[in-house]
Amino acid sequence: MGKDPLQAYYWLFQGAFSPSAISETFVRATPLLLISIGLAVVFRAKVWNIGAEGQFYIGGMMTAIMGIMFKDLPAPLAFPVIVLIAGLGGAIWALIPAILKASYGINEVITTLMFNYVAIYLVSYLLHGPFRDPISMFPETETINPALWAPIAVQGTRIHVGVLLAFVIVVPLAYFFLKRSAFGLKLDILGSSPRVAEYANINTTHLIIQAMLISGFLAGLAGGFEVLGIQHKMRLELSPTTSPYGYTGIAVALLGYLNPLLIALTSFFLGGIINGSMTMHRMAQIPVGMAGIIQALIIIFILTGYFVEDKLSKKVMERLKL
Amino acid sequence: MLVVELRKITKVYPGGIVANYEVDFDLRKGEVHALLGENGAGKTTLMKILSGCLKPTSGSIYVEGREVKFNSPLDALKQGIGMVHQHFTLIPTMTVLENLRLGLIGQKFNMKHTLTEIEELSKILGFKVKLDSPIYALSVGERQRIEILRLLLSRARILIFDEPTSMLCGPEIDRFLQLLKSLSSNGYSIVLITHKIREAMRISDRITIMKMGRVITTLRTDEIDDESRLVELMVGERLMPTTTKVAPSFNKEPLLVVKNLVVNDDEGLTKVKDISFELYRGEILGIAGVEGNGQKELVEAIVGLRKPASGIITFRGKNDNLDGLNYIPAERVELGVAPTLSVAINSVLRSFDKEEFKKRGNTLNFGRINEFAKKVVSFMNVKTPSLKTPVKYLSGGNIQKIIVGREIITSSEILIAEQPTAGLDAKSAYYVRRALSELASKGVGILLISSDLDEILELSDRIAVISDGKFTRIFEREEADPVLIGSYMLAAEGAGYNARAATSAN
Ligand SMILES: Nc1ncnc2c1ncn2[C@@H]1O[C@H](COP(=O)(O)OP(=O)(O)OP(=O)(O)O)[C@@H](O)[C@H]1O
Ligand SMILES: [Mg+2]
């Protein structure tokens, strides 16, 4: 393309992990983090929720609707109440596929994917119609009353309390929940085999529904944080088009071995790559599409890396033990 | 003539377990070579190496004098070596035909040709094949026959069987051994891994005994005059004669009442046809019968894994109170354990949600869990590198030990024990039988479903004979007699194709 590749990577890195970019990387990583932790919960049980994107959009839309309809909510209450409702919105969006899966064994991959389309068309309708900001050129809502916005946690950055909550509270909580609680163990057993789960006296119907609700809640919460903390309105591009959070979250969850601590690292890294590729696009005039390709390649490289590492470590182990 | 020779085979698993150490083993054309040894001795590992499933760490394999290297089971199959595994490798959700077809991958496939071949082989083997039935709907015995059929279809000449009879009952075992005989006289060479010494004595030409990864000795079967010497070689001690059972001293308090139970299988066929019985406190009620006569469905209904079509199951007078019901399932790996999870977790697989293993909130008390796991491991003498090891890395017998140990130690009122000693070495099987009678003497009601009639006769207070989904008779201990029981096993009309085939073959 006639561009200096080193220059491009320089900007990729600058845009991702340079001191001035770090805070934005945290901001970018937050929706990824929440979504992929939610996915880790269901994936551990081998329930394949592909619907985080839709759940994320529903959460975002609910937030905007709340913010517009209840402009005068008292400030300290607004944030928790609104994001809670965003989470519930996401959870409800996951509920129908969850029931279909748990009670009738209907494949959740298909239903959750379908629900993504429904969610995005629904949001699109609302943004073009009833909730469109009349003075905006774009299909988006009006800006939410600043009094309701998520409080900024680190002055001079866009790091709001949601970012802090995600990294400082949700990650350790999820880790503890998955690794130490009876619920987490039930997920692992169900993931090992549904029949074994029944033998182990686990109510698999309830478990699948609960896990899906948690997963949907976290995706909805991510949408709430994004609207109340960053965008301050609902837009059709709540998720970056080159790397939609709901789908990238699937990769993040798997790359992080379904372990919240590794997922936190992976989200941060991938958040950096997303930001960096945008900087690269701006500064080195690399097309956004190319940036998307680079993101995809990086994910593929990491995945192959894991595979090679797995093989290697086995070889090394065998050698060492001789 | 040696068809196969293994020289100085050593296998070290990742993690450092030496499963085989400088093992020499050979197989002559047309012989049945039995491979004996305690649980975890390394039998399965050695045979997986011969069948290309595992690569040896060092050592060499010769097939008809030529050195070979296997990178996959397919390579071994090309040399005519095939193995029927301890845990079946059929895909449960696929049909019999699909599974058979999978076994032929890498060869030209001609449906018509294959179908006639299946027809011929099943005639020789003496059983009907339900080609379009899914595997999960088949009994353990039926699944095994499909495995054998699959091997023969792919033209294996050297057949390795890993504990093929551990789930079969008397007549079926006879048929199976008969089949081995005719295979070997047709020039097939056979390795038979087994824990049943009598079986090895009856069928084999030579016996190799392994212990702790090494070969102790190889003997010609006709030179062995004393079976107990074999046991001694295997476990290093003579076993005491088995326990003498005392009649239960509890009054007839029913713990489990089954009334007019009708259960269908996955295909909607009625497998349990109006069974009624009571299980009393402190008794062992044995259920004898040919595999596939409704035992599986009966048990699944009682433990709540299958909805009965009609009838009532009551526990201690209360409906559906499954608390205090322990269950040792026949399907170890498929049902009894979560293979990827640790020994510790699997030791509490069915009870981790109880108060005793929890701390405040809903968190698990890993201290207690490990304590309990240690009890299971030491009670059953489970060979495992640690409590954290995923159970899939244990030998078949050691997995079984965890299941049995867990279900015996966890306190209960009722124990449903399906094939509790299958796959266990003589010593462990002895301990399990003893533990079962001790449990009964403490007041636990035990429903014992076993294909091993000797085991049932030894342990049971009453023996129910199941045939074609009905209890054809319930014997009191005193009146029980193997021949009589055998005749009741085949009593009902249409008592199962296998059973009839078995009697006509004798
Ligand atoms: N995949 C594995 N990874 C690590 N260790 C293993 C693996 N499979 C088996 N082992 C170990 O190797 C040893 C031998 O196992 P193997 O399955 O060969 O025993 P076996 O003689 O067939 O016993 P059994 O009678 O119980 O089937 C055991 O100690 C077992 O724990
Ligand atoms: Mg074995």
Side-chain angles (χ1 to χ4, degrees):
Chain A
M1 280 179 293
K3 306 275 154 61
D4 177 2
L6 280 181
Q7 189 69 15
Y9 286 118
Y10 170 78
W11 287 117
L12 178 72
F13 183 82
Q14 281 293 314
F17 305 117
S18 69
S20 60
I22 284 269
S23 74
E24 274 305 298
T25 294
F26 271 110
V27 166
R28 181 68 73 184
T30 299
L32 274 181
L33 176 63
L34 289 171
I35 285 173
S36 46
I37 283 183
L39 292 180
V41 173
V42 275
F43 286 2
R44 274 180 169 259
K46 297 225 164 75
V47 173
W48 305 112
N49 176 16
I50 310 297
E53 184 76 358
Q55 292 144 19
F56 175 73
Y57 266 80
I58 293 294
M61 192 67 223
M62 295 286 282
T63 305
I65 294 175
M66 289 291 296
I68 291 163
M69 304 223 325
F70 304 97
K71 279 192 177 52
D72 306 319
L73 270 177
L77 216 77
F79 179 71
V81 168
I82 294 179
V83 297
L84 191 74
I85 286 173
L88 291 178
I92 286 168
W93 207 249
L95 183 63
I96 292 173
I99 292 174
L100 289 176
K101 161 80 175 172
S103 304
Y104 305 103
I106 294 171
N107 190 323
E108 71 280 13
V109 173
I110 295 167
T111 50
T112 51
L113 194 63
M114 287 304 147
F115 266 68
N116 281 348
Y117 296 128
V118 177
I120 286 169
Y121 285 124
L122 180 67
V123 168
S124 165
Y125 162 73
L126 293 174
L127 292 183
H128 280 97
F131 286 93
R132 179 167 188 160
D133 179 3
I135 54 169
S136 168
M137 298 162 57
F138 304 105
E140 56 187 26
T141 62
E142 63 185 82
T143 302
I144 296 168
N145 176 6
L148 304 183
W149 293 0
I152 290 295
V154 180
Q155 286 310 318
T157 70
R158 292 206 292 171
I159 296 185
H160 55 88
V161 285
V163 179
L164 221 60
L165 274 175
F167 276 92
V168 182
I169 308 284
V170 174
V171 170
L173 212 65
Y175 182 82
F176 188 78
F177 183 68
L178 289 176
K179 297 277 183 173
R180 297 264 134 183
S181 76
F183 188 88
L185 179 54
K186 285 181 190 172
L187 293 174
D188 287 348
I189 294 173
L190 178 58
S192 149
S193 141
R195 283 190 72 214
V196 173
E198 263 177 48
Y199 171 65
N201 300 321
I202 293 170
N203 185 333
T204 53
T205 311
H206 286 179
L207 188 64
I208 291 172
I209 292 176
Q210 287 162 352
M212 280 289 278
L213 286 177
I214 293 172
S215 181
F217 182 88
L218 285 171
L221 192 67
F225 282 1
E226 189 66 10
V227 168
L228 221 48
I230 303 300
Q231 309 287 349
H232 303 135
K233 60 173 91 160
M234 182 64 193
R235 316 167 41 214
L236 212 45
E237 298 82 31
L238 193 63
S239 219
T241 28
T242 49
S243 44
Y245 293 135
Y247 297 109
T248 314
I250 296 171
V252 174
L254 295 175
L255 288 173
Y257 282 112
L258 308 184
N259 173 336
L261 302 183
L262 294 176
I263 286 176
L265 273 178
T266 320
S267 309
F268 181 73
F269 180 73
L270 232 70
I273 300 290
I274 294 175
N275 279 351
S277 59
M278 290 183 179
T279 311
M280 185 169 78
H281 157 64
R282 258 180 283 121
M283 306 304 285
Q285 274 85 50
I286 307 255
V288 199
M290 197 59 214
I293 291 176
I294 288 175
Q295 279 170 37
L297 285 178
I298 287 174
I299 293 179
I300 291 169
F301 286 147
I302 299 176
L303 279 173
T304 6
Y306 276 155
F307 179 72
V308 172
E309 181 203 311
D310 239 41
K311 288 258 156 185
L312 263 180
S313 68
K314 266 187 200 144
K315 281 253 161 69
V316 172
M317 283 251 275
E318 270 179 53
R319 286 279 145 76
L320 283 180
K321 288 289 155 37
L322 269 185
Chain B
M1 191 185 116
L2 293 181
V3 283
V4 163
E5 202 183 351
L6 297 175
R7 268 192 227 149
K8 289 210 182 305
I9 297 284
T10 295
K11 174 70 191 179
V12 184
Y13 279 111
I17 294 157
V18 183
N20 290 151
Y21 185 74
E22 309 229 314
V23 173
D24 292 328
F25 180 90
D26 58 56
L27 185 63
R28 296 176 186 155
K29 188 166 173 57
E31 82 166 335
V32 177
H33 192 153
L35 188 54
L36 270 60
E38 326 177 71
N39 293 132
K43 307 176 295 291
T44 300
T45 302
L46 187 67
M47 286 305 121
K48 278 188 174 166
I49 288 171
L50 177 55
S51 62
C53 305
L54 285 174
K55 275 192 217 166
T57 311
S58 65
S60 28
I61 306 170
Y62 298 84
V63 175
E64 289 174 349
R66 274 176 305 114
E67 180 163 5
V68 290
K69 287 229 180 331
F70 299 142
N71 286 314
S72 72
L74 212 57
D75 287 354
L77 206 54
K78 279 182 195 144
Q79 300 284 341
I81 302 174
M83 177 161 174
V84 175
H85 290 269
Q86 198 165 3
H87 305 296
F88 300 148
T89 52
L90 300 170
I91 299 171
T93 50
M94 291 170 69
T95 66
V96 170
L97 184 61
E98 285 165 337
N99 270 283
L100 289 175
R101 217 182 137 156
L102 276 181
L104 294 173
I105 278 177
Q107 298 175 20
K108 266 191 208 132
F109 184 81
N110 175 329
M111 184 61 103
K112 217 167 152 194
H113 181 77
T114 305
L115 283 178
T116 49
E117 211 168 356
I118 290 174
E119 185 84 2
E120 276 165 29
L121 280 169
S122 57
K123 234 178 248 159
I124 300 172
L125 299 177
F127 60 84
K128 257 189 212 156
V129 196
K130 296 185 244 171
L131 282 177
D132 45 10
S133 159
I135 296 296
Y136 65 79
L138 300 184
S139 71
V140 182
E142 287 167 316
R143 288 184 201 196
Q144 179 177 55
R145 288 179 209 120
I146 304 304
E147 291 261 5
I148 297 172
L149 186 59
R150 183 164 73 164
L151 217 55
L152 295 183
L153 271 177
S154 47
R155 310 206 192 299
R157 304 286 301 166
I158 295 159
L159 306 175
I160 304 166
F161 294 95
D162 197 353
E163 299 183 26
T165 59
S166 60
M167 294 288 185
L168 304 182
C169 73
E172 281 182 306
I173 293 178
D174 291 343
R175 268 200 67 69
F176 177 77
L177 296 181
Q178 206 71 45
L179 175 78
L180 284 194
K181 272 237 164 77
S182 70
L183 284 172
S184 75
S185 61
N186 278 315
Y188 289 93
S189 314
I190 288 158
V191 182
L192 173 70
I193 300 178
T194 182
H195 289 294
K196 295 178 181 162
I197 291 161
R198 223 168 293 161
E199 194 175 290
M201 291 294 289
R202 203 177 117 194
I203 189 84
S204 70
D205 301 294
R206 288 190 297 158
I207 294 178
T208 289
I209 298 177
M210 288 186 74
K211 191 176 179 177
M212 293 166 79
R214 290 156 211 256
V215 165
I216 300 287
T217 180
T218 299
L219 303 163
R220 277 184 50 184
T221 309
D222 53 16
E223 285 174 349
I224 304 168
D225 35 26
D226 184 9
E227 287 181 17
S228 62
R229 210 184 107 222
L230 280 180
V231 181
E232 220 181 316
L233 281 169
M234 251 156 65
V235 300
E237 63 181 288
R238 277 181 191 260
L239 293 175
M240 286 167 285
T242 40
T243 42
T244 46
K245 185 143 188 344
V246 285
S249 50
F250 297 88
N251 39 20
K252 291 205 162 186
E253 178 197 343
L255 294 178
L256 165 69
V257 182
V258 171
K259 242 191 217 137
N260 304 110
L261 189 69
V262 177
V263 189
N264 297 336
D265 67 6
D266 293 330
E267 292 168 315
L269 292 172
T270 304
K271 275 306 184 77
V272 175
K273 301 169 181 170
D274 194 15
I275 283 185
S276 302
F277 70 95
E278 294 180 334
L279 175 69
Y280 301 119
R281 178 175 295 286
E283 80 159 346
I284 298 183
L285 172 58
I287 296 186
V290 178
E291 165 80 52
N293 273 276
Q295 298 95 319
K296 182 179 166 222
E297 289 77 13
L298 173 64
V299 169
E300 283 176 345
I302 292 174
V303 300
L305 289 173
R306 182 180 289 278
K307 238 175 116 61
S310 66
I312 302 168
I313 300 167
T314 339
F315 300 97
R316 296 203 305 139
K318 276 174 268 160
N319 268 321
D320 286 330
N321 178 9
L322 287 164
D323 275 358
L325 177 90
N326 282 359
Y327 172 36
I328 300 168
E331 301 168 85
R332 289 116 183 59
V333 178
E334 301 87 345
L335 191 57
V337 289
T340 50
L341 303 185
S342 68
V343 170
I345 291 300
N346 274 289
S347 300
V348 293
L349 186 66
R350 306 184 74 223
S351 54
F352 68 88
D353 216 10
K354 292 194 179 138
E355 279 317 307
E356 52 179 318
F357 296 120
K358 292 244 201 78
K359 285 194 273 202
R360 287 158 289 106
N362 212 16
T363 56
L364 296 167
N365 187 335
F366 282 96
R368 290 259 180 81
I369 290 176
N370 285 334
E371 222 170 88
F372 188 85
K374 263 185 216 146
K375 260 202 268 176
V376 171
V377 164
S378 70
F379 173 66
M380 288 302 300
N381 193 17
V382 178
K383 273 189 206 149
T384 173
S386 81
L387 295 179
K388 287 208 178 94
T389 310
V391 288
K392 66 173 175 186
Y393 293 145
L394 302 189
S395 80
N398 281 302
I399 294 177
Q400 172 72 351
K401 285 184 191 176
I402 290 180
I403 300 171
V404 174
R406 171 185 78 204
E407 299 301 310
I408 286 181
I409 294 181
T410 309
S411 65
S412 75
E413 299 258 65
I414 303 171
L415 173 64
I416 315 285
E418 244 180 324
Q419 318 282 8
T421 60
L424 296 186
D425 60 40
K427 197 164 142 191
S428 311
Y430 166 77
Y431 282 131
V432 168
R433 290 193 191 112
R434 206 178 58 183
L436 289 178
S437 22
E438 275 172 18
L439 270 187
S441 67
K442 283 185 200 145
V444 177
I446 301 178
L447 196 62
L448 173 68
I449 299 91
S450 176
S451 54
D452 185 345
L453 193 54
D454 293 337
E455 181 167 279
I456 290 202
L457 285 167
E458 181 193 321
L459 291 173
S460 310
D461 299 296
R462 292 187 299 151
I463 298 163
V465 183
I466 191 170
S467 175
D468 193 27
K470 296 187 196 90
F471 279 179
T472 43
R473 178 152 176 201
I474 300 185
F475 291 90
E476 290 298 324
R477 173 186 197 73
E478 302 76 40
E479 29 173 31
D481 156 83
V483 180
L484 198 56
I485 290 179
S487 72
Y488 274 94
M489 271 161 57
L490 310 174
E493 247 300 293
Y497 179 83
N498 306 316
R500 261 180 290 132
T503 36
S504 62
N506 287 339

